[in-house]
């Protein structure tokens, strides 16, 4: 009698764990954005009351879309932060042997915010990835916003990336 109940419970847990994430709103310290259905907030951390880190990823074992946002309280030189951020990625275990390649910084925008951005490419587990990192000051914060995906997932990730960008604001 316990075996069928155990099997049903296992199936229920499997099916509910595989369901698509619901839309979720993020709001902290005046920073607001929406994680769309099929994407989820996977990590968030207060950085010793000096800033904040947030990660939003597309659901699914075979999905590659990710946005990370880090902000620091106060204003730091963007060129200096770009170099620090690049160094952190180069030394990160995920990117260590990925042939990570950055473009030079250029003027850009994210939503309605003027940014300085760098593009990058990498080969992660043999799969080509591309990304962009936007750096900017807004209010009393300095931001770095990374957007990355497998090249082959560009079309499937676009609606989620667009919704996140359109919902992003700093109040």
């Amino acid at each position: 009698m316990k075996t069928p109940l155990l099997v049903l419970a296992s199936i229920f847990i499997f099916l509910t764990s595989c369901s698509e994430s619901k839309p979720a709103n993020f709001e902290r310290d005046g920073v607001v954005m929406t994680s769309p259905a099929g994407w989820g907030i996977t990590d968030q951390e207060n950085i010793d009351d000096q800033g904040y880190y947030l990660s939003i990823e597309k659901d699914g074992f075979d999905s590659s879309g990710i946005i990370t946002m880090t902000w620091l309280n106060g204003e730091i030189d963007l060129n200096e932060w770009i170099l620090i951020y690049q160094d952190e990625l180069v030394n990160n275990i995920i990117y260590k042997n990925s042939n990570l390649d950055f473009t030079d910084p250029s003027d850009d925008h994210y939503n309605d915010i003027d940014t300085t951005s760098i593009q990058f490419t990498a080969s992660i587990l043999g799969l080509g990835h591309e990304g962009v990192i936007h750096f900017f000051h807004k209010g009393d914060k300095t931001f770095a916003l990374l957007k990355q995906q497998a090249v082959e997932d560009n079309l499937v990730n676009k609606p989620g990336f667009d919704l996140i960008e359109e919902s992003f604001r700093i109040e």
Side-chain angles (χ1 to χ4, degrees), residues 93-160:
I93 189 128
I94 293 171
Y95 298 100
K96 194 119 180 119
N97 296 309
S98 69
N99 297 318
L100 187 59
D101 186 38
F102 297 101
T103 64
D104 290 332
S106 63
D107 292 337
D108 204 345
H109 66 276
Y110 188 81
N111 198 332
D112 63 350
I113 300 168
D114 291 331
T115 70
T116 299
S117 71
I118 56 173
Q119 308 279 328
F120 66 93
T121 57
S123 177
I124 300 172
L125 300 174
L127 188 61
H129 279 69
E130 62 187 5
V132 60
I133 311 166
H134 294 274
F135 299 88
F136 57 96
H137 298 114
K138 190 74 173 174
D140 61 348
K141 297 173 181 58
T142 304
F143 289 83
L145 197 145
L146 177 145
K147 179 174 93 171
Q148 176 186 314
Q149 64 186 335
V151 174
E152 67 184 25
D153 290 342
N154 189 300
L155 289 176
V156 71
N157 288 338
K158 187 173 179 357

Side-chain angles (χ1 to χ4, degrees), residues 2 4 14 18 27 36 40 45 49 59 69 72 103 114 123 128 132 138 142 160 163 168-169:
K2 287 185 180 180
F14 174 77
C18 293
E27 186 172 344
E45 179 180 347
D49 293 324
D59 291 341
M69 178 177 48
L72 300 175
T103 64
D114 291 331
S123 177
V132 60
K138 190 74 173 174
T142 304
L163 180 64
F168 179 75
R169 67 184 188 280

Side-chain angles (χ1 to χ4, degrees), residues 44-64:
Q44 49 186 322
E45 179 180 347
N46 181 338
I47 307 170
D48 298 324
D49 293 324
Q50 301 299 309
Y52 205 78
Y53 171 80
L54 173 73
S55 176
I56 300 173
E57 295 183 47
K58 183 146 177 40
D59 291 341
F61 178 72
D62 200 26
S63 297
S64 69

Side-chain angles (χ1 to χ4, degrees), residues 4 41 53 56 68 74-75 85 139 166 170:
I41 296 174
Y53 171 80
I56 300 173
T68 67
E75 193 168 304
Y85 207 98
E166 290 163 8
I170 302 166

